[in-house]
Amino acid sequence: MPIRPTIMKFGGTSVADAAALANVAAIVRVAEKMQPVVVVSALAGFTNALLDSVEKARAGELRHATRSLEEYFERHTKIAGELLGPEARTSFESPLAEARRQIRQLLKIIAAYPVTSPPLQDEIVAYGELLSSQLLAAILRERGLQAKFVDARECVKTDESFGAATPLPETMTRSREHLSPLIESGEIPVLGGFIGSTEKGVTTTLGRGGSDYSAAIVGAALNAREIQIWTDVSGVLTADPRVVPAAQTIPVLSYQEAAELAYFGAKVLHPKTIQPAIEQNIPVRVCNSHAPEDPGTMIVGESQAAPQTIKAIAHKSGITTVQITSARMLGAYGFLRALFAVFEQHQTAVDVVTTSEVSVSLSIDDVAELPRIISDLEKLGTVEIEKERTIVSVVGDGLRNTPGIAGRVFSAISDFNVSMISVGASSVNLTFMVDDEDAHEVITRLHRVCFEDQECVQNSSKNLSAEVLV
Ligand code: ASP
Ligand code: MG
């Protein structure tokens, strides 16, 4: 039987300082028997600082650019000082000094030739992950674990879209070649997320937040038993905790439910980032590095996810709705096409759409082009705009076959003005609009109805079934 490793990805906040890194080492130690492969982000804030330094250099502020990075180099040194013995500390000093030298050199080039140079920028930004992975590997070794730094650029091969590169299929074989022998000999590979290289060996990055994607793709290559994404919350919550303090961790989500939630900016993985895991049916677990005993949230294929359950209430505020009314729509064809062409032409994404015989309502998030959109739409009919609206979405596979949910949801908020009701085509969401100023109360009440009322809580731990919701 081939070994099925566990991928453990730690985000920037999990490696912010010495205490956080010591904590990560303790978490990896507990998982030692699970054949871990560790993927790590840059230290918290470092990627932003590196990108800023590039901007500064481009603006001709070279000294400012290099100086702004000093506190981050010092942070690496300080962590090494606190967590490594003298020998390991000395050996980490040389890659750190080298990174510092190289970054300075590259910033100098950018300042001298201030054109946008995506390859140079990637070369600089990649040092964030290169350093964090070398540092973490050294810390794990210091604690008696057989950890080995692996340069992720050897494993993740990408196209040449610098700044947002796409991994090539050969990443699968490359990752196996580099990582499997280590895993088989009981070693723990430690690699930086987010970074890769082209066929010619030029450094690339996968786009902001790309370490999750690295974890998923390495997990897929190695047929991992599980991909763990360690962050600073206990998994995915039933609602935004800033709105609903009683929000709870959702134990199991399907990939599709996770995708619905991601759209609302819920603290969940972007569905694109876990695509490689989805394709191979590898479960993804979102865990809390500050509360490692919490089971977190498992994101799994539909068949394994508890069906018939409402999973979460997601929302997004500050939305604008556009309503177009025209008698010409009645019985006409081609009208909707003309209407959507306006949004396409102004490159504005439309989120929720509802229609009646003579009017169409839709919601947009980005209003940069709104004045021009309105003037084009006015050629088609009367246009009404409403600002400061909130999309509320009740998400869960349970919506598929549970009668009476809509009644239950809307009777809980019958004193509010609700519009644009739609049941998502995927039937894992029931979506509607309310005013921003009502959103807090609406979400609080729905959360109570779906997750907090005694009878619901009892049932939702099994299954939030039809009787409860009707
Ligand atoms: N360090 C990169 C970023 O901040 C990648 C990641 O953390 O996932 O975007
Ligand atoms: Mg991140």
Side-chain angles (χ1 to χ4, degrees):
M1 274 286 278
I3 294 175
R4 297 194 68 181
T6 301
I7 312 298
M8 307 179 81
K9 179 260 169 178
F10 296 92
T13 52
S14 300
V15 294
D17 52 27
L21 275 157
N23 187 38
V24 165
I27 292 169
V28 175
R29 173 187 294 289
V30 170
E32 198 184 353
K33 299 265 157 5
M34 307 287 284
Q35 287 91 26
V37 172
V38 176
V39 176
V40 64
S41 288
L43 302 199
F46 195 24
T47 306
N48 283 339
L50 288 162
L51 285 167
D52 276 355
S53 76
V54 171
E55 282 312 313
K56 288 189 182 106
R58 209 173 276 148
E61 302 167 31
L62 182 61
R63 265 174 47 136
H64 197 176
T66 48
R67 230 189 274 150
S68 67
L69 296 175
E70 279 315 307
E71 63 169 295
Y72 291 91
F73 295 125
E74 273 159 32
R75 196 167 351 136
H76 286 84
T77 309
K78 185 159 179 272
I79 294 169
E82 282 178 46
L83 298 181
L84 298 179
E87 215 173 294
R89 200 184 312 154
T90 316
S91 43
F92 180 67
E93 269 163 21
S94 78
L96 182 62
E98 180 61 16
R100 200 160 160 254
R101 201 163 36 239
Q102 288 292 343
I103 291 170
R104 268 168 182 262
Q105 209 51 42
L106 293 164
L107 288 173
K108 235 186 234 173
I109 297 172
I110 291 176
Y113 306 96
V115 285
T116 313
S117 171
L120 281 189
Q121 177 164 312
D122 275 359
E123 188 81 36
I124 292 175
V125 173
Y127 280 107
E129 269 71 10
L130 283 172
L131 288 175
S132 65
S133 50
Q134 292 180 79
L135 181 57
L136 178 57
I139 293 167
L140 294 177
R141 278 195 301 274
E142 193 73 34
R143 288 168 189 233
L145 294 165
Q146 279 193 67
K148 185 153 194 227
F149 161 71
V150 175
D151 188 335
R153 296 173 297 183
E154 301 292 328
C155 302
V156 181
K157 285 289 159 185
T158 74
D159 64 11
E160 298 189 347
S161 310
F162 296 95
T166 303
L168 301 172
E170 64 177 284
T171 296
M172 304 298 261
T173 42
R174 289 282 204 130
S175 300
R176 279 195 287 271
E177 273 165 26
H178 281 86
L179 302 173
S180 296
L182 297 175
I183 301 165
E184 274 154 28
S185 66
E187 288 180 282
I188 302 175
V190 180
L191 48 158
F194 180 54
I195 60 176
S197 70
T198 65
E199 261 160 2
K200 292 186 198 125
V202 182
T203 302
T204 52
T205 62
L206 308 182
R208 293 311 304 271
S211 296
D212 293 337
Y213 194 74
S214 303
I217 198 154
V218 168
L222 299 173
N223 193 22
R225 80 183 100 197
E226 181 173 301
I227 297 165
Q228 300 176 347
I229 304 292
W230 289 85
T231 171
D232 53 1
V233 285
S234 291
V236 184
L237 301 181
T238 49
D240 183 339
R242 289 166 298 187
V243 177
V244 183
Q248 310 147 14
T249 298
I250 305 166
V252 185
L253 271 179
S254 70
Y255 295 124
Q256 204 189 358
E257 290 168 331
E260 297 286 343
L261 290 175
Y263 162 72
F264 291 96
K267 268 225 167 195
V268 58
L269 302 161
H270 194 285
K272 262 197 247 158
T273 68
I274 54 172
Q275 192 60 36
I278 297 176
E279 278 161 20
Q280 298 201 29
N281 228 354
I282 299 172
V284 178
R285 190 196 292 271
V286 182
C287 317
N288 187 350
S289 57
H290 306 305
E293 290 81 29
D294 284 1
T297 298
M298 277 290 245
I299 304 175
V300 297
E302 203 174 315
S303 56
Q304 298 138 274
Q308 304 294 314
T309 310
I310 298 298
K311 298 290 174 57
I313 297 156
H315 77 283
K316 198 170 187 182
S317 295
I319 297 291
T320 298
T321 59
V322 181
Q323 188 179 44
I324 303 97
T325 310
S326 168
R328 275 165 51 204
M329 214 180 297
L330 206 62
Y333 49 84
F335 189 89
L336 288 178
R337 187 159 85 141
L339 191 147
F340 284 111
V342 172
F343 290 88
E344 186 183 347
Q345 200 185 326
H346 296 288
Q347 299 186 0
T348 297
V350 169
D351 297 319
V352 183
V353 182
T354 57
T355 62
S356 75
E357 265 315 301
V358 292
S359 75
V360 179
S361 299
L362 26 84
S363 77
I364 58 174
D365 192 358
D366 173 6
V367 292
E369 293 295 315
L370 189 58
R372 283 165 291 281
I373 290 172
I374 294 173
S375 85
D376 283 352
L377 289 176
E378 279 170 342
K379 294 171 197 151
L380 298 171
T382 320
V383 181
E384 272 173 77
I385 303 293
E386 281 185 86
K387 295 195 169 154
E388 293 169 11
R389 309 277 286 155
T390 294
I391 305 180
V392 179
S393 191
V394 179
V395 176
D397 278 337
L399 290 162
R400 233 186 268 279
N401 332 316
T402 315
I405 284 190
R408 172 91 184 176
V409 162
F410 292 121
S411 65
I413 53 170
S414 57
D415 47 333
F416 289 100
N417 192 7
V418 170
S419 63
M420 289 183 69
I421 299 165
S422 77
V423 177
S426 59
S427 79
V428 299
N429 74 58
L430 168 66
T431 299
F432 52 88
M433 293 278 172
V434 297
D435 283 335
D436 277 354
E437 58 184 24
D438 296 337
H440 192 282
E441 179 62 20
V442 163
I443 294 158
T444 304
R445 277 200 217 165
L446 288 181
H447 194 270
R448 206 175 299 140
V449 163
C450 294
F451 302 106
E452 296 165 59
D453 281 356
Q454 212 34 53
E455 50 171 350
C456 290
V457 172
Q458 281 164 8
N459 282 278
S460 72
S461 56
K462 296 181 247 127
N463 268 337
L464 195 58
S465 61
E467 308 89 79
V468 184
L469 287 156
V470 175

